[in-house]
Amino acid sequence: MTQALAFLYNPHRFMAFSAWAAPLFGALALALAAAGLWLGFAAPEDYQQGDTVRIMFIHVPAAWLGLFVYVCLGGASFLSLVFRQALADAAARAAAPIGAVFTALALATGSLWGKPMWGAWWVWDARLTSVLVLFLFYLAYMALRAAIDDEAKGARAAAILALVGLVNVPIVHWSVEWWNTLHQGRTVFAAGGSRAATVFLVPLLLMSLSYMSAFGALWLVRIRGEVWRRRAAAAEARLAR
Amino acid sequence: MLDLDPGPYGFYVWTSYGLSAAALAWLVISSLGFARRWRQRAESLETRAREGEGRGGDAP
């Protein structure tokens, strides 16, 4: 596994790989979104939730990605902290704003779904609260990096914060099992198989793959930007000598 | 046949989709802009640094 990923440690190889992989992921995201949206709006109304069920096709992928991106952020932070991989630090820094946007979207679309179904924009439910904490970890990570002038120190401090925040990931995931929540329990990955009807499950999975591909494209593009930013800083240092 | 009329839930459904589209569009534009901006700056600085080093190498 380490050998398989070793080529990504090298910035030159990474830049060559990402130059074709990012547009490929972007095109894949668009194609999957087109198919997912088509099937999502062709699906019948839910017998209980009516047309609000269509919010699921963008809410659930955003929530999954918010969590998944945080795992990527934590993994990259670990590699950066333990193995001093510069590219891993760039990957961690690049993941944070993307994850924050996905998590904010999960909260916003969840609120817009909750109001007509629960009668409230927000409840201090275990799932909602733990996702809000996830969002705050993203904001804290970005704020910490921005607040420390010394980039190496800022990267170390933010990486430690990101690793601490990983504790919240299983809490978000299992919150609907551990506590009695208003939020519905696990549906797609429920024990014994998915409880969602195929007509809803297919567009949901297509939209989730689309969001995942979009994240792949955006992450690669932002890491490329980070590599360029560091190259600019190195060239500036050479000029200053 | 597509069902594009969410009836009484139109505000909630379309606001959700609108917000998601706007946020994802912002992510795409800001990410591409971020990468392009730093690429241009890095290339310009690297060219200047190379030129400076070239001149330094010629000096007695």
Side-chain angles (χ1 to χ4, degrees):
Chain A
M1 181 67 178
T2 312
Q3 282 299 313
L5 292 174
F7 81 100
L8 287 175
Y9 296 165
N10 181 320
H12 293 289
R13 287 182 188 169
F14 170 79
M15 293 303 263
F17 161 75
S18 58
W20 61 263
L24 185 72
F25 279 131
L28 196 60
L30 284 176
L32 287 164
L37 288 173
W38 181 275
L39 290 177
F41 279 94
E45 290 177 17
D46 181 69
Y47 79 109
Q48 278 185 322
Q49 304 194 33
D51 273 299
T52 61
V53 74
R54 300 188 209 289
I55 298 175
M56 174 174 73
F57 305 132
I58 47 174
H59 168 72
V60 174
W64 283 349
L65 262 291
L67 215 51
F68 177 73
V69 175
Y70 199 89
V71 173
C72 294
L73 170 62
S77 295
F78 176 79
L79 290 174
S80 156
L81 201 61
V82 176
F83 299 106
R84 303 288 167 101
Q85 289 289 342
L87 205 53
D89 178 51
R93 187 172 187 157
I98 308 173
V101 169
F102 279 126
T103 310
L105 277 179
L107 288 168
T109 54
S111 186
L112 282 157
W113 196 4
K115 178 63 180 166
M117 290 301 104
W118 300 339
W121 294 103
W122 180 265
V123 285
W124 291 102
D125 167 277
R127 170 58 69 81
L128 275 68
T129 307
S130 56
V131 173
L132 178 64
V133 170
L134 178 72
F135 181 60
L136 294 177
F137 265 109
Y138 277 121
L139 294 189
Y141 178 89
M142 291 187 286
L144 191 58
R145 287 204 77 131
I148 300 175
D149 285 336
D150 183 328
E151 191 154 335
K153 281 185 185 166
R156 248 194 323 275
I160 292 167
L161 177 73
L163 291 177
V164 171
L166 277 178
V167 171
N168 187 45
V169 171
I171 295 176
V172 173
H173 184 72
W174 296 106
S175 56
V176 287
E177 308 278 323
W178 291 344
W179 291 283
N180 186 19
T181 63
L182 189 54
H183 193 282
Q184 74 180 68
R186 288 187 298 154
T187 306
V188 177
F189 299 113
S194 168
R195 292 203 295 258
T198 310
V199 73
F200 297 127
L201 187 62
V202 173
L204 174 60
L205 292 179
L206 285 171
M207 287 302 286
S208 301
L209 288 172
S210 168
Y211 272 47
M212 184 72 91
S213 300
F215 165 62
L218 291 165
W219 199 22
L220 291 176
V221 167
R222 290 192 90 94
I223 298 173
R224 286 172 67 80
E226 271 297 315
V227 171
W228 288 114
R229 190 181 68 78
R230 286 159 199 228
R231 278 178 62 168
E236 215 158 20
R238 270 159 61 199
L239 278 168
R241 266 190 246 133
Chain B
M1 193 63 189
L2 297 184
D3 178 7
L4 296 174
D5 178 16
Y9 302 119
F11 169 76
Y12 304 104
V13 173
W14 292 125
T15 306
S16 298
Y17 276 86
L19 269 179
S20 301
L24 293 174
W26 176 80
L27 262 184
V28 170
I29 292 165
S30 72
S31 301
L32 289 173
F34 172 75
R36 188 173 296 129
R37 201 166 51 247
W38 282 111
R39 179 181 189 156
Q40 284 168 351
R41 181 149 175 77
E43 283 175 347
S44 147
L45 285 167
E46 283 174 349
T47 306
R48 277 173 52 200
R50 265 196 304 276
E51 285 169 0
E53 283 163 3
R55 274 199 298 277
D58 293 341

